[in-house]
């Protein structure tokens, strides 16, 4: 049996870049959808689930994943065909890109960065290879290969000494026990303010949202649970993060599989997730906690599903209070779960959500709950 198609293990930089694209949603639609595909695959989602998430053909998802495994984040930008044959072969282009992305000091040049003029001059006289390119042709080549002039940024490298072991464990449970693996994470803070977004409107006449500088409602956090086997997302809004709220979420996950067999929960190593009370309860109830490495929250499968949640409930909204915001958020969750997969699976999801809602009176993903719930 062939191995399922999935992305290779992401580096910290790649995971954070994809996470930023999906969260902000301010880039082109092509980059956003491709980043969402890759982030969902890195979180353990299978190709059919990803295709449903981004409304794309399964073959398209596989092509993007294969392309990423070959060339990395350069696959986010489409390479449109056309034009006359190129004067440089693929090996020459690779050399140009490698030179442009190497610090000049490492090549014996007295610069801290390249300019187009300096790079073109260096390529003309590099030992063993002569590449003659005008400045505009060089700029276009770099742009086509995804290399642009940018501000230098810092990255949060994962310093977790158990990084690889934690990622190995997450991959293991996603592959071996997908029907018993869940993900938990907080989404927020969610404030009450007009939020810009996007919509269909007549050209030059977009919808307008009122501006406000008053923040009198405080914030909430959506505590979300995701079932990788059922492709179901549910959750509840809380005023703050904390051990008690995390424990309530874990209990709802345990209630989704009431047979007493082991369940696996992927979550961040936040202090509100790692307390002695939570660990003691997890041992007692046969719940195995799989923590993501420090500064590698992209490994949490729920991250890919929070992007659409932000785009379709918060962006382009003007909720008057947290009660209305929560109601709209749960309306989207019901629609999302009802339109996610095959009708036979939906029936099973409804039965499981009924058990979750009845668990100790905490209503997760069911009827609207108030912000104070």
């Amino acid at each position: 049996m062939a191995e399922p198609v999935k992305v290779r293990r992401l580096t910290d930089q790649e995971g954070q870049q994809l996470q930023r694209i999906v969260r902000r949603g301010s880039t082109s639609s092509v980059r956003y959808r491709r980043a969402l595909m890759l982030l969902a695959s890195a979180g353990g989602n299978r190709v059919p689930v990803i295709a449903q998430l981004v409304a794309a053909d399964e073959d398209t998802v596989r092509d993007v994943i294969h392309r990423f495994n070959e060339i990395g984040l350069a696959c986010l930008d489409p390479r449109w065909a056309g034009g006359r044959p190129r004067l440089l072969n693929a090996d020459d282009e690779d050399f140009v890109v490698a030179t442009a992305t190497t610090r000049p000091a490492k090549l014996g040049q007295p610069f801290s960065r390249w300019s187009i003029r300096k790079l073109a001059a260096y390529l003309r006289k590099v030992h063993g290879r002569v590449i003659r390119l005008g400045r505009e042709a060089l700029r276009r080549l770099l742009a086509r290969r995804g290399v642009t002039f940018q501000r230098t940024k810092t990255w949060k490298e994962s310093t977790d000494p158990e990084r690889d072991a934690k990622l190995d464990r997450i991959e293991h449970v996603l592959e071996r026990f997908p029907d018993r693996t869940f993900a938990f994470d907080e989404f927020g803070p969610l404030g009450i303010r007009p939020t810009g977004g996007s919509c269909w409107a007549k050209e030059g006449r977009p919808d307008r949202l009122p501006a406000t500088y008053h923040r009198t409602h405080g914030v909430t956090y959506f505590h979300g649970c995701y079932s990788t086997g059922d492709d179901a997302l549910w959750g509840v809004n809380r005023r703050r993060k904390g051990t008690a709220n995390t424990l309530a979420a874990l209990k709802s996950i345990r209630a989704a599989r009431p047979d007493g067999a082991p369940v696996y929960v992927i979550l961040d190593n936040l202090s509100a997730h790692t307390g002695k009370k939570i660990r003691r309860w997890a041992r007692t109830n046969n719940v195995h906690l799989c923590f993501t490495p420090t500064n590698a929250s992209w490994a949490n499968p729920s991250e890919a599903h929070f992007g659409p949640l932000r785009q379709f409930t918060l962006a382009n909204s003007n909720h008057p209070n947290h009660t209305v915001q929560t109601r709209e958020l749960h309306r989207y969750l019901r629609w999302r779960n009802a339109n996610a997969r095959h009708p036979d699976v939906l029936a099973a999801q409804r039965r499981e959500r009924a058990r979750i809602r009845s668990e100790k009176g905490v209503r997760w993903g069911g009827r609207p709950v108030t912000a104070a719930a």
Side-chain angles (χ1 to χ4, degrees):
M1 182 176 178
E3 291 291 330
V5 177
K6 64 177 183 179
V7 299
R8 58 169 171 76
R9 178 173 295 179
L10 303 181
T11 64
D12 294 329
Q13 295 91 335
E14 290 172 340
Q16 292 167 14
Q17 177 73 5
L18 293 174
Q19 194 177 45
R20 184 167 60 251
I21 293 174
V22 170
R23 283 182 175 178
R24 293 182 179 178
S26 58
T27 184
S28 70
S29 60
V30 175
R31 286 176 58 85
Y32 173 78
R33 295 181 71 211
R34 292 188 177 188
L36 194 58
M37 294 178 195
L38 299 176
L39 192 61
S41 180
N45 294 275
R46 299 298 176 89
V47 169
V49 175
I50 301 173
Q52 182 69 32
L53 177 66
V54 300
D57 186 76
E58 292 184 15
D59 289 337
T60 301
V61 176
R62 293 188 182 94
D63 290 342
V64 172
I65 292 175
H66 285 311
R67 193 64 176 159
F68 172 80
N69 291 339
E70 294 174 2
I71 64 174
L73 292 180
C75 74
L76 296 179
D77 299 305
R79 301 180 64 182
W80 311 118
R84 68 178 183 176
R86 298 172 183 169
L87 300 179
L88 300 180
N89 58 38
D91 185 55
D92 290 334
E93 289 193 0
D94 291 341
F95 178 77
V96 172
V97 171
T99 304
T101 54
T102 301
R103 283 185 171 271
K106 290 186 177 181
L107 301 177
Q109 303 300 305
F111 321 123
S112 62
R113 66 170 179 84
W114 293 111
S115 67
I116 289 292
R117 188 188 300 275
K118 290 181 172 61
L119 179 59
Y122 175 82
L123 292 172
R124 293 192 192 100
K125 62 180 182 180
V126 62
H127 179 70
R129 185 192 299 256
V130 177
I131 297 178
R132 298 187 180 277
L133 278 176
R135 284 176 288 170
E136 180 61 17
L138 178 57
R139 185 194 64 79
R140 292 173 64 87
L141 185 155
L142 295 176
R144 187 172 68 249
R145 297 292 296 270
V147 180
T148 57
F149 192 75
Q150 307 170 33
R151 293 182 61 87
T152 303
K153 296 183 178 180
T154 57
W155 297 95
K156 285 186 178 180
E157 294 284 352
S158 178
T159 57
D160 196 325
E162 300 179 356
R163 176 183 182 275
D164 291 334
K166 290 180 178 179
L167 293 178
D168 287 340
R169 188 184 184 200
I170 291 174
E171 291 178 359
H172 174 75
V173 298
L174 287 172
E175 293 176 359
R176 294 288 302 278
F177 314 105
D179 293 335
R180 308 196 66 83
T181 300
F182 298 80
F184 168 72
D185 198 6
E186 293 93 352
F187 173 63
L190 307 180
I192 299 301
R193 62 182 180 87
T195 305
S198 56
C199 68
W200 294 99
K202 290 186 177 181
E203 185 176 0
R205 304 195 58 164
D207 284 353
R208 303 291 184 180
L209 296 175
T212 176
Y213 300 95
H214 302 287
R215 305 288 185 267
T216 59
H217 296 273
V219 298
T220 62
Y221 294 88
F222 175 71
H223 290 58
C225 302
Y226 175 68
S227 171
T228 61
D230 302 327
D231 188 25
L233 180 66
W234 70 90
V236 66
N237 280 31
R238 303 290 193 185
R239 280 293 184 179
R240 59 183 60 85
K241 302 177 184 180
T243 300
N245 295 333
T246 300
L247 189 57
L250 296 178
K251 288 180 178 179
S252 78
I253 291 176
R254 177 71 272 184
R257 296 291 186 271
D259 52 10
V263 296
Y264 305 88
V265 182
I266 302 171
L267 68 170
D268 300 341
N269 59 357
L270 189 69
S271 59
H273 304 167
T274 59
K276 294 182 179 179
K277 185 176 181 180
I278 292 177
R279 292 180 183 270
R280 183 166 53 250
W281 177 90
R283 287 193 299 269
T284 303
N285 292 271
N286 207 7
V287 175
H288 299 265
L289 304 179
C290 305
F291 294 105
T292 61
T294 304
N295 295 329
S297 60
W298 49 264
N300 192 319
S302 63
E303 283 289 342
H305 299 273
F306 284 165
L309 190 65
R310 181 185 297 276
Q311 290 297 311
F312 293 105
T313 61
L314 298 181
N316 196 34
S317 69
N318 184 18
H319 302 128
N321 51 56
H322 283 294
T323 301
V324 175
Q325 184 185 68
T326 301
R327 184 183 300 123
E328 293 302 314
L329 187 147
H330 280 266
R331 284 184 60 197
Y332 172 80
L333 289 180
R334 289 193 294 273
W335 177 91
R336 180 243 180 248
N337 291 335
N339 291 273
R341 298 177 67 181
H342 194 275
D344 292 342
V345 180
L346 295 179
Q349 290 178 358
R350 285 193 293 271
R351 290 194 298 269
E352 291 170 359
R353 287 198 295 272
R355 288 195 297 269
I356 294 169
R357 288 195 297 269
S358 63
E359 190 264 333
K360 293 187 178 179
V362 180
R363 293 175 291 178
W364 290 74
R367 290 171 293 176
V369 296
T370 62

